[in-house]
Amino acid sequence: MGAVVAVIVILVILGIIAATRTFKVVQQYEKGIIYRFGRVLPEIRGPGLTIIRPIGDRMAKVNMQIVAMAVPAQEGITRDNVSVRVDAVVYFRVVDPIKATVNVQNYMFAISQQAQTSLRSIIGQSEMDQLLAERETVNRELRRIIDEPTEGPWGIRVERVEIKDVSLPEGMKRSMSRQAEAERERRARIITADGEYQASKRLAAAANVMSRDPAALQLRLLQTVVEVAGERNSTLVMPIPVELLRFFEKMAPGPAAPEPEPITQLDDLGDAEVAAAEAAISNVKVPELEESSIPPVPEVPQVPEVPEVPEVPEVENAVTPGVREVTAPDVAQEDKA
């Protein structure tokens, strides 16, 4: 009786083992590959419950989900000789489970190594400005480099590659900060100069109006007085009214004052005029001078040569007429006399 029970127990255990080797469950995100005596069957089992042979068959499950793999930071020198440190993340998935399990031993490790070498390669081919500003272009090129040797032979497709961070040296960061500060200062100066230019146009128009009408000057003076008087502890010095000076000018004898010129319509010196003036200045082209339009240079008349003055011959022992030559003996005789 005990032997029968032992046999039954052994049969039950063998049945359970056979059942576990026969019935396999494949998840929704997996694919099942059957190895029959070491040979891969072309049929790929889908998700759900599947039955295999308990002897000679073995199932390998391959995850078909998209895997996000972080690429360790890689140091390199860009094409413009700047040392940078770049790290990225690779998104890939298995599209052919048979190739992913047969052609490569560990496709996760293989993708990691391929991503690191490709990242160092793309650093050397790019410039610093491209790594910072043109991320989309660098990501597409990096994805192409990684996906080219992996999809065909390994059955793995790289969906996307993203550069996470670009670390620059401290000296380069300071240089970029100074460059950004200089650019902002340049824009501020341009805006200030533009505002002063437009304000000068408006002030010129206001001065033109006030110069034609003295009452406007007087009103502006009274407005200034009101503004100054509103402040405390201020001393206000009033100039001589313009009407009083004009009264004395009329009473003083002299030539008649010229008649005032008629007031003409003032030009609009607003924004439209400013924009038109700037456009005119920027589009002005200096005409080139043609050879025919250049007036000929008048010739300078030649100065006649001055005739040479003849040299005066030297006179040796010349005696003026009427003057007797006196010699030493004659002088001596005259002294004796």
Side-chain angles (χ1 to χ4, degrees):
M1 186 65 181
V4 175
V5 174
V7 171
I8 294 174
V9 171
I10 293 173
L11 291 177
V12 170
I13 293 174
L14 291 177
I16 294 173
I17 294 174
T20 55
R21 293 183 60 88
T22 302
F23 298 98
K24 298 290 183 180
V25 177
V26 180
Q27 301 296 330
Q28 183 66 36
Y29 53 85
E30 294 177 338
K31 294 291 184 181
I33 302 174
I34 305 300
Y35 291 89
R36 180 166 294 172
F37 295 105
R39 185 178 181 180
V40 178
L41 297 181
E43 181 184 358
I44 299 176
R45 303 298 176 87
L49 181 64
T50 182
I51 301 174
I52 64 174
R53 294 180 181 179
I55 299 174
D57 286 358
R58 182 176 61 88
M59 175 179 285
K61 299 178 182 179
V62 180
N63 192 334
M64 305 298 291
Q65 292 176 318
I66 295 178
V67 180
M69 176 182 292
V71 181
Q74 302 295 316
E75 294 183 358
I77 300 177
T78 61
R79 192 167 58 182
D80 51 353
N81 299 326
V82 178
S83 299
V84 295
R85 184 181 178 89
V86 183
D87 57 351
V89 58
V90 180
Y91 300 90
F92 66 92
R93 65 185 181 91
V94 178
V95 293
D96 193 338
I98 296 178
K99 290 182 179 180
T101 56
V102 174
N103 294 349
V104 59
Q105 182 178 8
N106 186 352
Y107 65 87
M108 299 285 289
F109 179 75
I111 289 293
S112 176
Q113 296 300 315
Q114 178 67 23
Q116 294 180 29
T117 55
S118 301
L119 183 58
R120 285 194 294 267
S121 176
I122 203 68
I123 290 174
Q125 297 176 6
S126 305
E127 297 183 355
M128 184 191 66
D129 294 338
Q130 294 179 349
L131 294 177
L132 296 176
E134 301 178 4
R135 291 286 184 89
E136 295 295 332
T137 304
V138 177
N139 292 337
R140 286 195 301 268
E141 183 65 19
L142 186 57
R143 175 189 173 277
R144 185 190 64 81
I145 295 175
I146 299 176
D147 186 64
E148 184 176 356
T150 58
E151 184 173 1
W154 296 351
I156 298 173
R157 178 180 300 170
V158 178
E159 298 290 343
R160 190 173 57 179
V161 180
E162 295 289 342
I163 293 178
K164 292 196 299 184
D165 187 21
V166 179
S167 300
L168 300 176
E170 293 298 329
M172 184 59 62
K173 290 181 180 179
R174 290 192 294 268
S175 299
M176 295 177 66
S177 299
R178 290 195 297 267
Q179 179 183 0
E181 184 178 357
E183 178 66 20
R184 293 190 184 93
E185 185 177 357
R186 181 185 68 86
R187 294 179 182 177
R189 290 185 178 181
I190 291 176
I191 294 174
T192 303
D194 190 15
E196 292 180 356
Y197 177 73
Q198 296 182 8
S200 65
K201 288 291 185 180
R202 297 297 179 87
L203 290 176
N208 191 5
V209 173
M210 291 183 181
S211 63
R212 296 174 185 269
D213 191 359
L217 287 175
Q218 189 66 21
L219 292 176
R220 188 70 182 90
L221 176 61
L222 295 176
Q223 183 180 0
T224 305
V225 170
V226 172
E227 294 176 358
V228 174
E231 300 179 359
R232 297 181 180 180
N233 299 328
S234 60
T235 303
L236 182 62
V237 179
M238 294 293 296
I240 300 176
V242 180
E243 288 77 4
L244 183 61
L245 296 178
R246 292 178 181 237
F247 174 75
F248 286 113
E249 183 179 357
K250 292 180 180 179
M251 296 301 295
E259 297 181 357
E261 298 179 357
I263 298 176
T264 58
Q265 184 68 24
L266 297 177
D267 297 334
D268 183 15
L269 299 177
D271 296 335
E273 191 273 342
V274 172
E278 292 178 354
I281 293 174
S282 60
N283 296 329
V284 169
K285 295 183 179 179
V286 180
E288 298 182 357
L289 294 177
E290 299 181 357
E291 186 177 0
S292 59
S293 62
I294 302 175
V297 180
E299 298 181 357
V300 180
Q302 297 182 355
V303 180
E305 298 180 357
V306 180
E308 297 181 356
V309 180
E311 297 180 357
V312 180
E314 296 181 358
V315 180
E316 298 180 357
N317 299 328
V319 180
T320 305
V323 179
R324 185 173 61 85
E325 183 179 0
V326 180
T327 58
D330 295 337
V331 173
Q333 291 177 4
E334 289 179 1
D335 293 338
K336 289 180 180 182

